[in-house]
Every structure is written in C-alpha cells, then in structure tokens.
Amino acid sequence: FEYGYIAVDPLDSNIVYGARLTRTNQGMGEVADIAPEPVRRGEYRYDRTLPVVFSPLNHHELFFSANVLFKTLDAGKSWQVISPDLSRESYETPPNLGAFTASDPEKGKHRGVIYAVAPSFKEASTIWAGTDDGLIHITRDAGKSWQNITPQQLTPWSKVSIIEAGHFSAGTAYAAINCFHLDDLRPHIYRTHDFGKTWVEIAKGLAANAPINAVREDPAHQGLLFAGSETSVYVSFNDGDDWQPLQLNLPHTSMRDLAIHGDDLIVGTHGRSFWILDDITPLRQWTPEAAQTPAHLYAPQTAVRFRWNRNTDTPLPPEIPAGQNPPDGAIIDYSLASASGGEVKLEIFDAQNRLVRSYASSDKPKPMDKIAAENPIPMYWVRPQQILSAEAGFHRFVWDLHYTAPDSLAHEFPISAIVHDTPELPLGAFALPGRYIVKLTVDGKTYTQPLTLQMDPRIKTPEAGLRAQFAVESGAVRGMNESFKLLAQVNSVREQLRARAAAPGAASWAEPVSALDKKVAALQGGPESSFFGLPSSGKQTENFSTLNQHFGSLLAIADSADSAPTSQAETVYREKVEALQKLQTQWAAIRNQDIPRLNSELIKSGQPAIEPDKPASAGPASTVEGDDEP
C-alpha cells in the first residue's frame, strides 16, 4: 500500500484495510472505499501514513485516525469520532526549520495528526494515542474523556512513531519517538508502568546516530522487547533497561515496524522487503544464567512436518524475485560459553529411545567440486550441508525431519529446485508425527530437551496411513543399505579374484577362480541405463545393483505424498524384499562354502585368501577370462 498502514481483519484473513481508507476482499479482488470523510472538505487533517488498528479485545472494533480518532463497529459502513483534536494547538518553529518559515504559507503554524494508536491488550476501554507533533494522550473510558500524559522531555516536532500497549499490564506502554525533524538523530524510547503518570527513557545500548521508528513487546514473555531504528533491529531482555543488536544478516536500512506472529519476529523495512526471524523461542528462554553455563540446549518449538517444495516442474531462474520459506524441519538452538575442545554431538531419538539421526562437529561436508563433477546442474541450486558448530556462541541447527539417508548407488538434485536450498536425494524416511528427544553432548556432558513433531494440519491422512507410508520408506532404506553393503562385498571379492587370476602361476587355480567369478558376477550387476532408471523392456533378473536402485525408486514413490502407499507399490515392495532375501541366501552360500573352498586351494599354492569384508580399492570389479557379464 502506498499510503497508510494496513490491518488484516481478525475474523476474516481475506479482508484487508488500508490505503486511503479501503476495504479489500482479496479473494474477490474487490476494493471498497470506506473513508470516514468520502470527499475531503477540510474538516479533518490527514497524513500520508495513518494507523488502521483493530482492537485486540473486540475484533469488530476498528480504529482509524486523522487529527481525531475514528471508530467503526460495522466494517467501515459508519464511523464515530471518539476524540477531540489531540495535536498541539500552537508552538514555535524550531531554529533548524526557521529558514523555511518565510516560504511556508502557514509560517510554521502547522498542526499535526494522530500518528500512533494503541488499544490496550488488557482493558477494552483503554486506548493510547500519540501525535506526529509530540503529544501522547490516553483514554480509559473508550474515548469519552482524554488525558494528556506527554513525557516532559518531548518537544514540538517530535514524532510519536509507534506506541506499544503493554501485553501484561494495562498501565504499561512503550513509545518510540523520532526527532529527525529537530536534527536530533539520537534514539528515544519511553516506558511507563502507571498509565503515563511517569515515564522513563530507555535507550541504553542503542546506536547514538539512528532514530527509533518502532518498539514492540513480546506477547509471550514479559520484559522481552524489540526495537527498530533507521539502521538496525535491537532486542532487550530486561524491559528496555539494556539493548543489544539483533541484526544478523539484515541489510542496514530503515526498520519501519516490527510484529511478533506466533514464534516469529517480522520486520518491515523501507524499500528492502519484509524479513522474518523464524522461531524466537530461544530469546524467550534466554537468561544470564544460561549464558554462563558451558553449554545450553534450548527447548525447541513444536515442529511441523510439511513438504519443503511441492513444485514438480523446472525451477524459476535465480534472478526472479522470490521470498524464502522457513527451514523445512525442526529448529534446534544451543549455545556454548567457549569453544569445545572435543566433538560436539547432536542426536535425535524417538519416543522409544531409538536413534533417529545423529550429527557431529567432526562431520565432513561433501566437496562442492565433487558435487559439480557428479551433477550437471548449476551449483547455485545446491543446499550447503550443515555442520554442527563447536565454536563459542549461539548456534542454530535444523533437523530436516528425515532419518539418515540410505546408501545409494546414485544421488541427484531434483528438477524442482530452489536456489541455494535444494537437498541431495535420496533422503531418509520421513519421521512420523509424535514425541522425540533431542540430545546434545559437549565435552562429555549431555543435555536433553523434548521435541514435538506435528503433522501439516492440511493433511487429513489418518495415522494408520502415515505409518504404512513410514513402513515402506524405512523398509526401502533398509533394502538400499543392505544391497549396498553386500554389493561392496561382491565388488571386493571380484577385485581380489581378478588379482589372483593375474598372479604368476595362475594357470593352476584359474578354473576355480573363473567359475567363482561368474557366480559372483551374477549378483553384482551394474547401473541401469534406461530412462528414469526403469528397465526398457522384458522381465529383469535382480542383482544387488538393480535392487539398490529399485528400493530407491520405491522410497521416492512412497515419499511423493503424505498418504498411504498404493497397493501396487506395496506389492512391488514385498517382491523386492523377497528378491533381496533370495540374493542374501545365495551370497551367504558363496561366502560360507565357495570362498572357503577356493581359499584352501589358494593357500596351498601360496596365494592370499579371498576376504569378502576387505574394502575394494575401486568400483565394481572387471570380469576375468573373457566373462562378458556386466
């Protein structure tokens, strides 16, 4: 909106009030002019940006201001004036504006408007009002009478930018005062706890050269305040007695207003977008004692299981303007008083105390050059891998709500990419809604907090359906891990057989080596080359390679939507489980019978025995003696 503040109807989020003053039905695109003075006759004075505020205690009560305060109870169909002109009647022009007096038709004798309106969160009849010419008034009888409660320090041409009514006490209010008209760039915030009888200026810790535009109180934690200046955002943990920056990655620009929505802090800037600090629950939990402990794990907010990206098509180019979604997972915050001398570990356990996911500060990220070599995509798609920090300070880590990723023969980044936020697939099984335990270990000492995971409220799949989905996903992960592990053993054995076939005097044991290699090769297989990883035609003979890929396909299919797997997917899943069991039996026979039998001959000939658990030095082994199997 070019003019004025906006207010969203608490009873219908499709209805927005703002501009000059309009009522917009966003669902229909209908805009109705509901201004108290439809045709300007000079009866009232207006400013470019004027408050439009709903009462927090009566959602049918909407306030709008000019030089007087208006109230409507019927969505703007009619208005009532509930205050006199609350601006200054007269004042002298300040010296810094004196040079402009001669060219001013009113010779500096301007009167202001009500620039800030704050209905009480505790008393329906209490309303605070501040003007852009330095006055603050209060009514405690719904506008029948008003009292001037202006702090003595306020002078003409001081602008009451925002008044924040106290969320915990009707007598509390905070006033952000902007004095740039007076060439005063110092920050000014005033606080009262007695309905404005006395005021205290609270500006300790605020930058000395940036006027304050906004101050807000956290509705969930008394004494936690936020302020926005012409350059930065600040936080106070002690009701404004002390302030410190909360700038993080914000651009240094004019912070015009702040809002707390649930557990998030929203900043409205002048020309630099809206910015949101997701999850301020650690700020609500912060205490000086927590800052002094060697380590502190903050209680995480309730996490919501939702799909990080429902786009199934080509991504937007990175130059297209787009907002950033909240992290797709559980936000976990912890602080360290000093750098840890050892490994910092973070673990997630389910309600039965079974390990779900584990992270450590010693984890190594996959090198970007390796990712680039393996994926023909722009690297600005890729989500950087998080590494748990062991450094001193406050840290935030996001568990993506998935179990550990499976061992896979192939990894990829989906075409439905988001710039700098596209995870590598496959992911592990999606965690079920329920109770979890977060465990932080620092220098041998552990800290725990409970975590609740809720389902996306838009999803109506019953719990049984989600559990069926989880069963297929977790089973597919087990199938991928088992086939990958056994394939590694097969690769190692074929590599060792090749070495034995090339050793001096190999003619005496060439026949049993070749026979065993043919038998093992049937279990090895290779990557499928057809489109989307599916066989182009004919019925396949399964091997460890194809099984790893087929279980991966089943994992992706089961995880494609928050619903129970289809009957056909469950049928194929059971078939693959049976195929894996069959191959496991064949491989066990080779390990327990064929390899020991060959080893006895090799040892007699002075050759090293075949060791199935020995790591292979490269990928799948080549065939021996002209074997042309893959």
Side-chain angles (χ1 to χ4, degrees):
F1 287 88
E2 183 181 359
Y3 296 96
Y5 290 87
I6 64 172
V8 178
D9 192 329
L11 302 176
D12 186 349
S13 60
N14 283 316
I15 306 300
V16 178
Y17 295 82
R20 291 183 176 92
L21 173 74
T22 59
R23 181 180 187 271
T24 301
N25 186 321
Q26 292 182 302
M28 298 177 59
E30 180 183 77
V31 180
D33 190 310
I34 59 167
E37 189 181 23
V39 177
R40 299 286 177 89
R41 299 172 298 180
E43 184 175 359
Y44 304 110
R45 293 188 302 277
Y46 302 90
D47 200 356
R48 180 168 178 167
T49 54
L50 290 171
V52 186
V53 183
F54 275 98
S55 166
L57 300 178
N58 180 358
H59 293 163
H60 293 282
E61 194 171 49
L62 177 66
F63 299 98
F64 173 67
S65 70
N67 57 314
V68 298
L69 186 61
F70 299 98
K71 181 180 78 172
T72 178
L73 294 172
D74 55 11
K77 295 178 182 178
S78 63
W79 291 89
Q80 174 187 1
V81 176
I82 63 168
S83 83
D85 189 330
L86 297 181
S87 64
R88 291 182 185 269
E89 292 186 11
S90 63
Y91 44 77
E92 296 300 322
T93 302
N96 62 293
L97 295 178
F100 302 98
T101 303
S103 58
D104 182 0
E106 296 190 37
K107 304 302 179 184
K109 302 301 181 182
H110 297 271
R111 294 196 64 181
V113 297
I114 300 173
Y115 198 81
V117 176
S120 173
F121 290 92
K122 306 300 290 185
E123 292 181 354
S125 59
T126 297
I127 307 169
W128 308 74
T131 68
D132 64 350
D133 55 7
L135 293 180
I136 298 178
H137 288 78
I138 188 174
T139 178
R140 299 194 63 192
D141 53 14
K144 295 177 183 178
S145 63
W146 290 82
Q147 293 79 45
N148 187 334
I149 56 169
T150 306
Q152 294 182 353
Q153 300 93 322
L154 260 62
T155 58
W157 293 87
S158 298
K159 182 171 72 174
V160 182
S161 182
I162 281 179
I163 297 178
E164 173 78 340
H167 288 261
F168 303 92
S169 168
T172 295
Y174 307 88
I177 310 299
N178 190 312
C179 297
F180 67 91
H181 283 147
L182 300 170
D183 282 351
D184 179 2
L185 300 184
R186 294 172 300 171
H188 300 286
I189 303 177
Y190 292 88
R191 177 187 70 203
T192 181
H193 288 311
D194 55 11
F195 295 98
K197 295 178 182 178
T198 60
W199 293 88
V200 176
E201 186 166 11
I202 49 173
K204 182 182 177 183
L206 299 173
N209 60 345
I212 297 295
N213 295 317
V215 59
R216 297 296 185 188
E217 181 182 33
D218 180 23
H221 186 79
Q222 190 170 7
L224 179 59
L225 304 181
F226 301 95
S229 76
E230 279 295 312
T231 61
S232 306
V233 171
Y234 296 85
V235 61
S236 172
F237 298 97
N238 55 7
D239 203 32
D241 289 340
D242 299 278
W243 294 90
Q244 56 184 289
L246 190 66
Q247 191 65 22
L248 301 176
N249 61 325
L250 279 175
H252 284 283
T253 188
S254 178
M255 311 299 178
R256 292 300 176 93
D257 203 355
L258 303 165
I260 295 96
H261 179 74
D263 294 335
D264 300 335
L265 175 65
I266 305 167
V267 182
T269 73
H270 186 64
R272 294 296 182 271
S273 303
F274 289 102
W275 291 75
I276 299 175
L277 175 58
D278 298 298
D279 186 13
I280 61 171
T281 55
L283 299 179
R284 292 169 175 166
Q285 299 171 48
W286 186 91
T287 63
E289 293 74 25
Q292 299 302 318
T293 56
H296 187 83
L297 176 63
Y298 295 85
Q301 70 176 161
T302 297
V304 179
R305 177 179 137 163
F306 68 96
R307 296 281 164 177
W308 71 281
N309 183 7
R310 294 186 181 274
N311 178 38
T312 59
D313 206 345
T314 306
L316 293 173
E319 62 269 17
I320 298 298
Q324 183 180 3
N325 286 328
D328 57 312
I331 297 175
I332 300 170
D333 296 287
Y334 66 97
S335 58
L336 304 177
S338 59
S340 172
E343 181 183 66
V344 174
K345 196 171 185 180
L346 182 68
E347 297 168 296
I348 312 295
F349 294 87
D350 65 14
Q352 288 72 44
N353 206 33
R354 294 173 299 205
L355 182 63
V356 172
R357 197 71 181 268
S358 178
Y359 303 93
S361 57
S362 58
D363 293 340
K364 302 297 181 184
K366 192 173 183 179
M368 193 62 73
D369 56 353
K370 180 175 175 60
I371 295 175
E374 296 174 349
N375 297 274
I377 61 170
M379 286 301 100
Y380 56 71
W381 278 12
V382 177
R383 173 188 292 179
Q385 184 179 341
Q386 285 187 102
I387 300 296
L388 206 65
S389 178
E391 298 300 316
F394 192 97
H395 303 289
R396 170 161 287 185
F397 195 86
V398 179
W399 170 42
D400 64 3
L401 305 183
H402 285 81
Y403 282 62
T404 303
D407 294 322
S408 178
L409 290 178
H411 297 85
E412 65 174 353
F413 291 87
I415 194 172
S416 55
I418 295 177
V419 174
H420 302 304
D421 201 23
T422 310
E424 186 179 58
L425 301 182
L427 300 174
F430 218 159
L432 287 169
R435 302 280 293 177
Y436 293 83
I437 299 171
V438 180
K439 179 180 177 182
L440 178 72
T441 302
V442 181
D443 296 330
K445 187 174 181 180
T446 60
Y447 310 81
T448 61
Q449 290 284 1
L451 168 66
T452 299
L453 174 58
Q454 290 183 351
M455 193 62 202
D456 184 334
R458 300 169 298 177
I459 303 300
K460 305 306 178 184
T461 303
E463 181 181 351
L466 295 176
R467 291 195 174 278
Q469 177 191 38
F470 179 78
V472 172
E473 288 189 18
S474 56
V477 168
R478 287 193 300 270
M480 294 181 73
N481 290 341
E482 181 67 9
S483 59
F484 191 93
K485 180 186 74 173
L486 298 182
L487 178 61
Q489 295 175 8
V490 167
N491 291 342
S492 176
V493 167
R494 294 203 71 197
E495 184 180 79
Q496 293 175 67
L497 290 173
R498 181 184 180 185
R500 304 303 178 271
S508 60
W509 58 80
E511 185 176 342
V513 166
S514 178
L516 180 57
D517 184 70
K518 290 179 181 295
K519 203 170 186 178
V520 174
L523 302 179
Q524 183 186 49
E528 295 181 337
S529 58
S530 57
F531 196 53
F532 290 133
L534 299 175
S536 55
S537 63
K539 187 173 178 64
Q540 270 198 327
T541 300
E542 291 285 10
N543 51 60
F544 290 134
S545 293
T546 57
L547 271 178
N548 186 269
Q549 296 167 81
H550 292 163
F551 275 121
S553 296
L554 285 167
L555 174 61
I557 291 169
D559 194 48
S560 61
D562 294 307
S563 59
T566 61
S567 58
Q568 56 267 33
E570 289 188 317
T571 298
V572 173
Y573 168 69
R574 288 191 293 270
E575 291 175 355
K576 300 308 172 186
V577 170
E578 292 174 1
L580 178 59
Q581 292 171 344
K582 181 179 178 181
L583 292 180
Q584 286 173 314
T585 301
Q586 295 177 22
W587 177 238
I590 292 173
R591 282 186 59 119
N592 299 331
Q593 299 173 23
D594 297 332
I595 292 179
R597 189 163 44 243
L598 175 61
N599 280 342
S600 62
E601 294 188 39
L602 291 174
I603 292 172
K604 289 178 183 178
S605 303
Q607 290 294 311
I610 303 297
E611 302 177 45
D613 295 318
K614 180 180 179 181
S617 60
S622 302
T623 57
V624 296
E625 290 204 353
D627 180 9
D628 59 357
E629 292 187 53

